[in-house]
Amino acid sequence: MNTTLYDATAHDIARVLVGQPAYRVKQVWQALYEQLRAPADITNLPLSARNELAAALPESLVWKTESTDASGDTVKFLWNLCDGGHPIETVLMLYPNRATVCVSTQAGCAMGCGFCATGQAGFNRHLSAGEIVEQVVKAARRAKEIGHRVSNIVFMGMGEPLVNEAATRAAVERIHDDIGISARHLTISTVGIVPGIRRLARWPLPVNLAVSLHAARDELRDELVPINKRYPIEDLVAACNDYLDQRHRRVSFEWALINRVNDTRRDANELARLCKRLRPSAHVNLIPLNPTPGWPTRGSSPRRVQEFADILVGLGVNATVRRNRGTDIDAACGQLAAGQTITPVRLGRTEN
Ligand code: SAH
Ligand code: SF4
């Protein structure tokens, strides 16, 4: 594959713009990352140079479709990778005072969590750093068009970031250095790749860590999250404490509530005990499981979700119930790419 536009270094751009004045490189760089301009819209660059740039350093993501949820505050993009046409997705979530982009790090995922649409579909390939950055740029451009500034990035789309660690780390650096989003607004979500967590604790940039826990005993977690057999809960807790020692930031645990599977009083007690083994205690994000075609069990009812949260809070655990954003547009991990029916709508609403 050619170097893609957002994988290119300033040197790569300089090589393409040979013969142009030196200031052009900086102009292009600022246009791409600060002004979030599409390459064809860098109109202060001569047309011939724009054409050379497009030919030598193509974009990678081909817009396939997008959908907006009923409230208009969640937009989901589906792209095809320009080489194999594999689908990947990006979600833009708008809030009154901020906007968050959820990016994919792989086309598919090899971790095989049964409840996850991406896991059900299997693995295609890693994304490059530029392909991760391109998702941020394109979603941020859309946000800008409707009067929002992207402030947060979560690595919670398709794929396991710490299995594609080098590209994820390089993308984090470019998002921080060139797009200008601070490390405390970047969150890596992992299924629990223990050596990756230990390395992440030592990355130059202090990003947030979220761990998709879903069960606090090995017997159940082995079933829900098969990689737990390789990195069991004891090792995961030790790696999280290592991160906490290095970073002095909270870890959050993601917990998708599955009806009568991991939403009982026993599960809440086990989770509370586990949270307290972290110093400081972990923050828990609860979300009802989004139904997917390949997993027969339903998400917990709103009442059971609230009861579970109340037990945790009663045990002194910091727990938040998350809104299941974009359920009506299949915005849960991997669902759009899994080819469920959607109605493409363009976002026509401005907030703020
Ligand atoms: N591979 C990483 C990041 C991507 S998944 C990880 O697993 O953490 C992002 C989050 O969505 C994870 O917490 C994952 O467990 C959760 N998830 C996957 N499928 C889901 C579903 N059907 N309903 C609710 N959450 C789901
Ligand atoms: Fe992969 Fe995360 Fe889905 Fe598990 S939940 S299959 S690790 S994307």
Side-chain angles (χ1 to χ4, degrees), residues 328-330 335-336 338-343:
D328 56 333
I329 53 166
D330 300 329
Q335 288 186 57
L336 186 55
Q340 297 195 349
T341 325
I342 54 137
T343 318

Side-chain angles (χ1 to χ4, degrees), residues 156 210 214 252-257 283-287 318-322:
M156 292 188 181
H214 309 312
S252 44
F253 286 146
E254 308 296 310
W255 193 280
L257 284 154
H283 183 105
V284 176
N285 285 318
L286 300 171
I287 185 161
N318 215 319
T320 313
V321 177
R322 298 282 170 200

Side-chain angles (χ1 to χ4, degrees), residues 222-248:
D222 283 352
E223 254 176 60
L224 296 176
V225 179
I227 198 71
N228 191 68
K229 293 182 196 129
R230 183 163 346 151
Y231 303 119
I233 291 171
E234 271 312 302
D235 298 359
L236 187 54
V237 168
C240 290
N241 271 325
D242 182 31
Y243 169 89
L244 293 170
D245 289 343
Q246 296 292 324
R247 296 298 197 206
H248 311 290

